[in-house]
Amino acid sequence: MNLLADGWTLTQRRLFRLRHEPGTLLTMLMMPSVFVVLFGFVFGGAIGVPGTSNYREFMMPGLFVMTTGTALSTAMVEVATDQARGVMERLRSLPTHRVSVPLGQSGAEGILGAYGLAVLMVCGLVVGWRPYDGVPRALAGIGLLLLFRYTLAWVGAYLGLVVRSARTAARLAPLTLSLTMVSNALVPTDRMPVGLRALCEWNPLSSAAAAARELFGNPGAPGPDAAWPLTHPVTASLLWAGLLLLIFVPLSVRRFARAGL
């Protein structure tokens, strides 16, 4: 119980800081609109998707995953910034559970992810995107996306502990966008070169995008020759999330402990 209480306290600390960072919430409010216009109306006309002429219905689950993927960079920058400011040393001096610091950071990213996802879904509804397979499957899709954001926040927390420099973390953050670009989030993989296609189809973000399309009933189902993660996207997404948590939760805790405790 102390672990959960400490983790929730540190989650609240991250959320309360947003009162002094209104630009963060404003950016999360504006960026979805920019993404929908940019990809849906500027690039969308040049991208063909088998089985549908409505690119935006294919695109929206990909944008959900793109928003989910930002948890990696934001958690990395936040943790590295806390280290640079000496906040981590202060937290280490307190009688808190060692897991609570990365747990609090990941929990805050999960809550912020729900806010960002809600804003993006409203934008999607405005431009014609709809979930077609009923409320239970839509809720399952939302839950899977939030699970993935929570998982990537643990990856980002570990990288932030490793990097230790806020400036370096800020410079590395844009590189995480390439993870989304090398996936099926915005384009189908069937016309890609063989090597690049294999890389994209085994990208965990591709599984999450395909799972979201399947659960929301949106177009973009992979062909029969696609890799296993895309033909079984929900199972693959859960396995990817479990594997990443299994790797990065103990790594984050050990890194936090070795840094000073």
Side-chain angles (χ1 to χ4, degrees):
M1 293 301 292
N2 287 337
L3 168 61
L4 295 178
D6 291 347
W8 176 239
T9 299
L10 291 166
T11 297
Q12 291 177 302
R13 167 186 168 271
R14 170 75 178 92
L15 297 177
F16 287 155
R17 281 174 53 190
L18 293 175
R19 292 181 300 182
H20 306 290
E21 302 171 358
T24 301
L25 291 176
L26 185 62
T27 300
M28 294 180 69
L29 195 62
M30 294 178 60
M31 285 307 292
S33 304
V34 174
F35 283 155
V36 170
V37 172
L38 180 63
F39 292 107
F41 293 93
V42 178
F43 297 153
I47 301 174
V49 179
T52 181
S53 59
N54 188 344
Y55 174 72
R56 289 190 288 279
E57 292 214 325
F58 171 86
M59 172 197 72
M60 287 310 303
L63 288 184
F64 298 154
V65 171
M66 180 182 284
T67 301
T68 297
T70 60
L72 195 157
S73 56
T74 54
M76 177 175 64
V77 172
E78 286 293 332
V79 170
T81 301
D82 279 347
Q83 288 205 118
R85 292 175 177 171
V87 176
M88 287 295 180
E89 293 302 323
R90 174 59 177 158
L91 292 174
R92 289 186 184 103
S93 70
L94 298 175
T96 57
H97 198 286
R98 296 183 181 188
V99 185
S100 62
V101 174
L103 180 65
Q105 182 64 45
S106 305
E109 286 301 329
I111 294 172
L112 289 173
Y115 166 74
L117 188 60
V119 173
L120 187 55
M121 284 187 165
V122 171
C123 292
L125 291 171
V126 170
V127 299
W129 168 78
R130 298 288 184 276
Y132 292 104
D133 285 354
V135 174
R137 287 178 66 83
L139 291 176
I142 293 171
L144 188 143
L145 290 168
L146 293 178
L147 171 64
F148 235 78
R149 184 176 180 89
Y150 181 74
T151 301
L152 293 176
W154 274 99
V155 180
Y158 172 71
L159 294 177
L161 289 167
V162 172
V163 170
R164 299 178 65 86
S165 165
R167 180 176 298 180
T168 303
R171 288 177 177 172
L172 290 175
L175 296 178
T176 60
L177 185 62
S178 61
L179 294 175
T180 308
M181 294 303 174
V182 187
S183 74
N184 69 345
L186 299 174
V187 294
T189 61
D190 54 346
R191 297 180 184 176
M192 294 181 180
V194 175
L196 180 61
R197 179 179 180 180
L199 182 64
C200 290
E201 292 185 344
W202 284 91
N203 182 342
L205 295 181
S206 293
S207 303
R213 290 183 183 114
E214 181 176 303
L215 292 170
F216 292 136
N218 295 140
D225 60 336
W228 184 84
L230 294 194
T231 54
H232 304 78
V234 176
T235 303
S237 297
L238 294 175
L239 289 175
W240 274 122
L243 178 63
L244 292 174
L245 287 173
L246 194 63
I247 294 173
F248 285 99
V249 169
L251 282 179
S252 299
V253 173
R254 189 174 69 171
R255 185 74 189 186
F256 178 76
R258 288 177 59 188
L261 282 177

